[in-house]
Amino acid sequence: MILKGGVITKFQTIIVDDEPLARLALREYILLTSTDIEVVGEACNGEEALTFLQEHQEIDIILADIQMPRMNGVELLTAIRKLSYSREPLIIMLSAYNDYAYVRDSFVLGAFDYMLKAKLDEAYITPVLQKTVEELKRRQRASVSVPSLNEDEAVCSMLHRLAVSDSTDFRDYEKNEDLKQGLNFVRKHMGEKNQGVALIRLSKTIQFEHIHRNISQTILTVLNKDKHVRNCFVCRHDDRHYILFFSFPEQRSMMAMRSLTHSILTDVNIRLRQFLNLNLSIGISDIANGFTQWNRLFQQAERLSALSYYNGYDFLFYPEAERPINMQTEDWKEEWSLFKSELLQALKEDNNTLWKQQMQHGFQRLAESFPSSPDQIKSALSDLIWKAGSLIYQKGMFSEKLNERFPFPFEQVRQLETLEETVQWVEKYLNTLYEELHPKRENSVAMLSPVVAKAKAILEESYYEEILLSNISEIVGVSESYLSKQFAKEIGINFIPFLTNLRIKKAKEGLENGLKIYDVAEKVGYVNTEHFSRIFKKVTGLSPLAYRKAFER
């Protein structure tokens, strides 16, 4: 919530969906589940939402459907990223099961989260909204500014600005008195010779201010203890990172500067681990001269600190530790795309050994060849698990087990701390997915109960006829509800999806043999060709025409 004129207001939200009933349901769920959120607007398409957002810069949350007329959710997200906000809103995408490609694009463009429209209820929406509110409150805490700064604080503030801003932003600093004064403070305290940056990355995000005070005090105690350290400032970058700015204005050898830096940072590492039970990864830049170098030094230290993703914590990383790029980006993309296609194909086939071999080979290449940035790896793996997860929906299935064991999978991948943990998590996800795609049924029909085996045989023999569960339950001599539950339990899929998949399998055979689409539709039990085409595309991801053309190639 936000304080305005002494009055606490709620986080303001807009719902964007072309279905009035969906907007109404979301509004009611928000009212029931969150006291921190207020719906202040609605729109029925992206264009209408964009107009509203241009007039209302104070929006905190946008709930946007992916599939909408005139301007869809992904197009809206792209347009929003071009707007200028005093505070950027968090965007939650609403998707149907067959929107997986659009949802992937949404995350690339910076969507905060997504929700499946088919699952919307009070229990499902509550944790998503709670997470969103927590992030907004965290941003509020981070944006609180100190009303007045002493000279040391002004130097630290200016150093932080120099670190995170491109040097071109300071090209005309002589014309800006505040900027000029800040740079003079930095020159006075740091000089412009032998500058270095160290970025301390904590193994976890800290949200309690008293712990941050202890961290800062511990670092300052170490710095004050060393008589050789005169030019060093510590700035809190965010709830997980601290930046140390060094300079050695007197002429020193590179070895002497590194030795002193190493001694200080090793002491910081030991104290924070012993006293506050914190594990660190510290990236240490090379040495450079001039205020325009602070940004480059910071970026280098940031990359180095992120090497904890490969090596774990409690290490100091110097420039020579940067991982070499063994493969050009375009070559990597081509190889990763090929691996991904082969793995997805292997997951579709009922061969447990094959997909595991593919996966191990791909992850080995990932560790060997991918560039240093963990974000690139996480992005590639997020794309992989999204496409793998879509295999469930292509078969007309919905996996409660997968969603219960791996809620918010993209968020989990982003939060994992090391490559080893990430690979283990993805392996577990894919293993669970494979088990759901290929339920274990030893001796197949022999293991089915007589009732289910008979019902299955009827479907396989008469799939092209109008078949109802009620009719089959009469034939096999049990109630409709019993047959429905037992069929799903033993076969691993509900009655209707099983029949649909059976019909689509037969339809594929007809299309592969060159039959016309309307003939195929009729042969597999669909009188309406358009309805058949919609079902076919929902299951396979391709229209019947596109499938036949792809097969011909």
Side-chain angles (χ1 to χ4, degrees):
M1 293 183 285
I2 306 166
L3 192 65
K4 290 184 177 179
V7 179
I8 294 179
T9 62
K10 298 183 178 182
F11 291 117
Q12 299 193 18
T13 304
I14 178 176
I15 300 172
V16 190
D17 198 305
D18 58 321
E19 299 178 24
L21 288 178
R23 297 199 301 270
L24 177 62
L26 274 169
R27 183 183 281 271
E28 290 300 316
Y29 284 136
I30 290 171
L31 185 64
L32 285 170
T33 58
S34 179
T35 58
D36 295 310
I37 298 175
E38 177 185 14
V39 178
V40 297
E42 294 183 7
C44 61
N45 59 61
E47 288 183 2
E48 188 177 309
L50 196 59
T51 301
F52 182 91
L53 291 167
Q54 288 169 334
E55 297 172 356
H56 299 78
Q57 291 285 307
E58 70 283 1
I59 294 299
D60 300 292
I61 305 169
I62 301 171
L63 293 160
D65 188 16
I66 286 182
Q67 295 282 21
M68 292 185 292
R70 300 177 68 177
M71 178 187 281
N72 66 32
V74 175
E75 292 167 338
L76 172 62
L77 183 51
T78 303
I80 288 171
R81 291 302 172 213
K82 296 178 182 178
L83 298 179
S84 177
Y85 288 96
S86 57
R87 59 176 188 271
E88 192 171 335
L90 296 182
I91 301 167
I92 301 172
M93 305 305 287
L94 308 171
S95 75
Y97 289 133
N98 59 349
D99 285 338
Y100 56 89
Y102 290 110
V103 174
R104 184 187 66 239
D105 292 341
S106 300
F107 275 106
V108 171
L109 290 168
F112 178 69
D113 212 330
Y114 77 101
M115 292 191 290
L116 296 174
K117 295 177 71 173
K119 291 193 68 181
L120 287 183
D121 59 27
E122 193 172 339
Y124 178 72
I125 197 173
T126 297
V128 179
L129 295 181
Q130 285 177 343
K131 185 174 72 169
T132 306
V133 167
E134 287 170 4
E135 172 61 17
L136 288 168
K137 289 180 177 179
R138 187 196 69 77
R139 290 186 180 186
Q140 283 182 357
R141 292 193 298 270
S143 67
V144 174
S145 59
V146 181
S148 60
L149 302 175
N150 60 36
E151 190 165 310
D152 281 357
E153 290 172 331
V155 173
C156 193
S157 177
M158 191 66 210
L159 283 168
H160 188 266
R161 184 175 173 184
L162 286 165
V164 301
S165 304
D166 191 277
S167 60
T168 57
D169 295 343
F170 303 93
R171 190 175 296 156
D172 299 323
Y173 72 91
E174 292 285 354
K175 300 177 182 178
N176 185 321
E177 283 302 319
D178 290 339
L179 186 56
K180 186 176 177 181
Q181 183 182 17
L183 289 172
N184 286 334
F185 279 153
V186 171
R187 288 192 181 101
K188 173 184 174 183
H189 287 267
M190 301 293 289
E192 288 192 276
K193 184 185 290 186
N194 296 334
Q195 301 162 191
V197 171
L199 184 72
I200 297 176
R201 174 183 174 85
L202 306 178
S203 60
K204 57 186 177 182
T205 299
I206 304 296
Q207 297 184 344
F208 300 103
E209 289 301 317
H210 71 279
I211 297 180
H212 280 294
R213 286 194 295 271
N214 288 337
I215 293 172
S216 297
Q217 187 56 52
T218 300
I219 297 171
L220 288 171
T221 299
V222 174
L223 296 176
N224 293 333
K225 171 187 168 187
D226 197 312
K227 297 178 182 179
H228 297 287
V229 181
R230 293 186 180 87
N231 302 324
C232 183
F233 283 83
V234 181
C235 301
R236 176 176 158 190
H237 181 52
D238 54 30
D239 286 345
R240 188 171 188 173
H241 298 87
Y242 284 79
I243 312 174
L244 275 66
F245 298 92
F246 291 94
S247 73
F248 304 90
E250 302 169 6
Q251 285 291 341
R252 289 174 174 269
S253 69
M254 292 297 296
M255 186 173 292
M257 287 187 282
R258 173 171 288 199
S259 176
L260 179 56
T261 305
H262 186 84
S263 173
I264 294 166
L265 294 174
T266 300
D267 198 359
V268 168
N269 186 28
I270 292 171
R271 286 173 179 248
L272 289 178
R273 185 171 68 246
Q274 289 180 341
F275 300 150
L276 296 176
N277 196 29
L278 293 172
N279 298 104
L280 316 180
S281 168
I282 306 179
I284 304 135
S285 74
D286 56 22
I287 302 297
N289 300 326
F291 78 86
T292 59
Q293 293 295 309
W294 287 116
N295 176 246
R296 182 187 69 79
L297 296 174
F298 167 73
Q299 290 182 347
Q300 184 182 38
E302 187 175 41
R303 291 195 307 272
L304 289 165
S305 71
L307 293 180
S308 60
Y309 189 68
Y310 304 98
N311 300 282
Y313 285 86
D314 297 324
F315 290 101
L316 275 61
F317 297 105
Y318 291 93
E320 58 268 24
E322 282 206 79
R323 290 166 58 86
I325 298 176
N326 298 325
M327 186 180 292
Q328 295 299 316
T329 302
E330 291 306 316
D331 293 337
W332 166 256
K333 286 181 179 178
E334 184 176 345
E335 181 169 322
W336 178 256
S337 179
L338 178 62
F339 155 69
K340 189 166 54 179
S341 299
E342 291 174 347
L343 178 61
L344 293 173
Q345 185 58 44
L347 283 167
K348 292 179 183 178
E349 300 176 16
D350 195 357
N351 186 332
N352 191 45
T353 303
L354 176 63
W355 81 264
K356 286 188 175 180
Q357 288 176 343
Q358 292 282 4
M359 179 180 65
Q360 289 168 2
H361 171 72
F363 287 158
Q364 182 179 354
R365 295 295 291 147
L366 180 73
E368 291 174 352
S369 306
F370 213 89
S372 294
S373 171
D375 289 338
Q376 291 176 293
I377 291 182
K378 292 179 180 184
S379 176
L381 290 176
S382 293
D383 181 64
L384 172 64
I385 62 174
W386 180 259
K387 287 189 174 177
S390 71
L391 297 177
I392 288 282
Y393 305 121
Q394 288 176 19
K395 290 187 67 172
M397 301 165 62
F398 177 75
S399 174
E400 288 287 352
K401 180 180 179 182
L402 198 64
N403 283 275
E404 286 174 3
R405 288 187 61 182
F406 304 96
F408 308 112
F410 310 107
E411 187 68 23
Q412 290 192 46
V413 168
R414 283 198 293 268
Q415 290 178 355
L416 290 168
E417 287 300 317
T418 66
L419 179 60
E420 183 180 4
E421 289 176 342
T422 305
V423 168
Q424 289 175 354
W425 186 94
V426 174
E427 285 181 349
K428 288 179 183 177
Y429 177 89
L430 292 177
N431 192 59
T432 304
L433 174 72
Y434 179 84
E435 291 174 355
E436 292 292 280
L437 288 169
H438 308 285
K440 293 180 181 178
R441 297 192 298 276
E442 297 177 7
N443 300 326
S444 192
V445 176
M447 295 299 294
L448 300 178
S449 65
V451 167
V452 172
K454 187 173 181 180
K456 181 173 178 286
I458 293 171
L459 289 174
E460 290 172 340
E461 290 174 8
S462 308
Y463 62 88
Y464 52 85
E465 298 180 6
E466 184 179 353
I467 303 177
L468 300 175
L469 181 63
S470 56
N471 299 140
I472 295 184
S473 65
E474 289 182 14
I475 294 172
V476 300
V478 296
S479 70
E480 186 175 338
S481 62
Y482 175 82
L483 179 59
S484 176
K485 291 178 182 178
Q486 202 63 23
F487 190 94
K489 179 180 178 181
E490 295 183 28
I491 300 296
I493 185 173
N494 289 325
F495 175 85
I496 295 299
F498 180 85
L499 176 59
T500 300
N501 290 339
L502 188 59
R503 285 175 167 175
I504 297 304
K505 179 182 177 182
K506 298 295 183 182
K508 285 181 180 179
E509 294 173 1
L511 292 169
E512 290 166 8
N513 290 323
L515 295 180
K516 295 186 180 297
I517 293 173
Y518 58 81
D519 286 335
V520 172
E522 188 175 343
K523 285 182 178 294
V524 298
Y526 294 100
V527 178
N528 186 311
T529 305
E530 291 183 1
H531 178 60
F532 162 71
S533 296
R534 284 196 299 270
I535 296 295
F536 189 93
K537 185 172 183 179
K538 180 178 180 181
V539 173
T540 67
L542 296 171
S543 68
L545 180 61
Y547 180 85
R548 187 167 62 189
K549 287 181 178 178
F551 182 79
E552 289 171 355
R553 289 200 296 269

